[in-house]
Amino acid sequence: MYSSKKQRPVFVYSVTIYDKLIKFPCFSYIFYDINPPEGFNLRRDVYMRYAIWLHKLQTNKNDSNLKKFKLVLPPWSHLYHWKYSEIPEHIPWALYFDIESLKRFAPVIEMYQFFDDYDVTYKKIEIDDVYILQHYQDMFETGKFEEKMSIEDCNEPIRVNYFYYNNITSNNVRCLSFHGYTSQLTSVLKNSTARSFLFDHAEVALHDMFGDKLYWKCRRSMRFNKELHEIAKKFREQELDANDKNDMTILPDDWRKEIPRRNAIGGSYLGIHLRRADFVRSRSKEIPTIENAFKQIKNKLEELKLDKVFVATDAPINEINEMRSLLEPKYALVTYKSEDWVKEKYKDGGIAIIEQIICSYARYFIGTYESTYSFRIQEEREILGFPAESTFNRLCYDGTESCSKPSIWKIVY
């Protein structure tokens, strides 16, 4: 279903991998991997750090060799909030994102394309250089946060295989203590003759510049799979009486044609992201009870003169039913229940994306404290052109609106 049918490039370089000659074209590869417990939305942010770096390498006028790198997208495997399987799967990015849109910003390829193009699916692949990024052990103790990196002893046991594949390994693994920005890794490329690099614990490297024009170009390129958008659009039309034309939420097909605006209205419903599960324990002083959440939702519905609220939540069904009983009959609480084929094809990751999209198109959005899921919705709403005051809001612990607002990161063109 996902195999590449493109014509193979002309080969000009070759290496020997486990006594089997594998030919490589003139370009080189950057792989990256992330700490396994990290969730989907943090991983999206780490992708941006490396995509922006590759974008800069492509536009480098001083070193043509740096333009030959391609960024290999790590497959989505079993994540903490995805309950569909206990066995890691290798889900391509195309299932969740519009790959052609990503490519308009950075030179990315899927892992399966790397396998298909070079006929290495069932052979062992030895990555030339693996760098395990790690924090300096004394940095948080001393408070001296200076840009630096150095090869040091590993703080943790190293992995033998990568991306849950048994055939991707390396004989050259080093731990790189690192504090700084992703583009600082360019010196690693310049000081090596290797053609393939893997940066493990890639989340250690920071954004070169958070929230600037280049950041937002990359973010705008991260459009979801078109079918997921159509599923969300159909749901909004049928269940929430919303459509893009009336709601002024139409975007051009190509993100590069988007223009600054603040005229989006959104559907006639309130969008809520209510994170429960682990947040109830880890952020107990910031997360409202069901009753306190209900109070804030009810007050906002009255203020906006709306009668429907869409809730994206990981709360158990009994808590959802409790909130629904508190709101009815005056207000309707709507949640997304997928058709069987949607769940089978897109799994929990796709369901979460559909819910994010629906929240993004609401008249007004209220999120959860320090949730990257909520933060990604706020970014989507900035791209869609909503007024900031309808986007950067959070549910308060005590049932009022007296708590501090989330950080406001407005879009830059």
Side-chain angles (χ1 to χ4, degrees):
M1 179 178 179
Y2 298 110
S3 56
S4 171
K5 298 185 183 300
K6 294 182 179 180
Q7 183 177 0
R8 284 172 165 73
V10 177
F11 295 117
V12 298
Y13 174 71
S14 66
V15 296
T16 301
I17 298 178
Y18 288 84
D19 298 324
K20 177 67 177 180
L21 185 66
I22 303 298
K23 294 184 178 180
F24 285 79
C26 59
F27 42 76
S28 304
Y29 298 91
I30 293 176
F31 300 79
Y32 73 97
D33 206 358
I34 300 171
N35 187 26
E38 301 294 354
F40 179 76
N41 288 289
L42 186 277
R43 289 169 182 268
R44 289 172 60 186
D45 186 73
V46 175
Y47 159 79
M48 289 182 61
R49 303 174 202 181
Y50 287 79
I52 290 171
W53 178 32
L54 267 291
H55 177 90
K56 289 182 175 180
L57 294 182
Q58 289 284 300
T59 56
N60 187 298
K61 297 180 180 180
N62 300 320
D63 192 339
S64 59
N65 288 327
L66 295 176
K67 297 181 179 182
K68 298 177 181 179
F69 282 97
K70 290 185 177 292
L71 184 65
V72 183
L73 301 172
W76 300 102
S77 295
H78 180 67
L79 300 183
Y80 176 78
H81 288 99
W82 296 4
K83 308 300 183 183
Y84 62 87
S85 173
E86 294 301 321
I87 302 173
E89 297 189 33
H90 298 102
I91 300 174
W93 277 60
L95 195 68
Y96 298 136
F97 293 95
D98 183 340
I99 297 298
E100 292 307 312
S101 183
L102 298 182
K103 288 181 178 180
R104 293 183 185 119
F105 180 79
V108 302
I109 63 169
E110 298 263 30
M111 182 73 77
Y112 74 85
Q113 291 176 315
F114 175 79
F115 290 163
D116 287 351
D117 285 350
Y118 307 107
D119 191 27
V120 295
T121 305
Y122 300 108
K123 304 180 184 74
K124 286 192 175 181
I125 302 167
E126 185 178 317
I127 296 175
D128 294 334
D129 287 347
V130 172
Y131 292 92
I132 302 174
L133 304 187
Q134 60 187 20
H135 295 289
Y136 282 93
Q137 292 184 305
D138 63 342
M139 190 166 289
F140 294 101
E141 297 172 4
T142 63
K144 290 182 64 177
F145 296 99
E146 55 184 348
E147 297 174 19
K148 60 179 181 178
M149 59 180 171
S150 55
I151 300 296
E152 296 188 348
D153 292 337
C154 297
N155 296 340
E156 300 176 358
I158 65 173
R159 286 191 274 178
V160 178
N161 299 104
Y162 305 100
F163 312 110
Y164 297 106
Y165 286 105
N166 292 325
N167 64 329
I168 301 182
T169 186
S170 178
N171 287 326
N172 191 21
V173 181
R174 287 168 285 185
C175 288
L176 183 65
S177 292
F178 188 90
H179 184 76
Y181 308 104
T182 314
S183 62
Q184 289 173 232
L185 294 170
T186 303
S187 62
V188 175
L189 309 182
K190 288 183 175 180
N191 295 325
S192 174
T193 58
R195 289 297 184 107
S196 57
F197 298 82
L198 165 60
F199 296 97
D200 199 6
H201 282 278
E203 71 280 357
V204 171
L206 304 174
H207 277 286
D208 281 20
M209 183 63 72
F210 188 88
D212 67 351
K213 185 184 296 187
L214 193 58
Y215 172 95
W216 278 104
K217 279 186 176 181
C218 181
R219 181 61 182 82
R220 286 158 50 204
S221 74
M222 293 188 71
R223 292 196 171 183
F224 289 125
N225 174 306
K226 292 178 181 178
E227 187 173 52
L228 290 174
H229 259 291
E230 284 301 312
I231 294 169
K233 181 180 178 181
K234 181 179 178 182
F235 181 88
R236 288 188 293 120
E237 291 173 346
Q238 295 180 347
E239 304 296 331
L240 296 166
D241 192 27
N243 67 78
D244 287 332
K245 183 177 180 180
N246 293 342
D247 302 342
M248 305 213 34
T249 50
I250 297 175
L251 290 176
D253 291 336
D254 188 335
W255 61 267
R256 294 172 298 183
K257 296 180 180 179
E258 294 168 357
I259 58 174
R261 65 193 187 97
R262 289 284 177 186
N263 61 348
I265 298 171
S268 56
Y269 62 95
L270 175 63
I272 298 289
H273 172 227
L274 176 59
R275 176 82 172 264
R276 299 287 290 167
D278 56 323
F279 268 38
V280 175
R281 299 184 299 275
S282 63
R283 292 167 173 79
S284 59
K285 295 183 180 180
E286 298 289 348
I287 303 303
T289 63
I290 293 300
E291 184 174 356
N292 282 344
F294 151 72
K295 291 177 182 178
Q296 294 168 78
I297 292 171
K298 176 176 174 291
N299 289 340
K300 188 55 64 176
L301 286 169
E302 288 179 348
E303 176 188 330
L304 298 174
K305 295 181 172 54
L306 300 174
D307 58 13
K308 294 186 291 292
V309 54
F310 176 81
V311 179
T313 183
D314 57 0
I317 188 64
N318 62 297
E319 291 186 348
I320 297 173
N321 289 338
E322 178 185 351
M323 187 181 298
R324 181 174 277 117
S325 67
L326 290 169
L327 287 166
E328 291 179 345
K330 187 174 182 179
Y331 303 107
L333 187 154
V334 182
T335 57
Y336 176 72
K337 182 174 176 55
S338 67
E339 297 179 61
D340 290 342
W341 74 268
V342 176
K343 184 65 175 290
E344 182 179 351
K345 180 176 180 178
Y346 291 107
K347 311 184 188 303
D348 285 0
I351 304 305
I353 288 172
I354 292 168
E355 292 180 337
Q356 274 188 319
I357 295 171
I358 296 169
C359 280
S360 299
Y361 283 75
R363 181 71 48 84
Y364 193 98
F365 173 69
I366 307 176
T368 294
Y369 176 75
E370 288 190 345
S371 168
T372 52
Y373 187 98
S374 289
F375 184 62
R376 297 283 92 83
I377 293 171
Q378 290 162 354
E379 287 182 331
E380 291 291 334
R381 291 176 63 83
E382 280 292 287
I383 294 169
L384 285 164
F386 280 95
E389 57 269 20
S390 74
T391 293
F392 297 98
N393 308 286
R394 56 169 283 205
L395 293 166
C396 300
Y397 169 78
D398 60 2
T400 70
E401 293 186 41
S402 60
C403 59
S404 60
K405 293 282 187 179
S407 299
I408 298 176
W409 292 98
K410 292 185 179 180
I411 193 168
V412 178
Y413 285 88

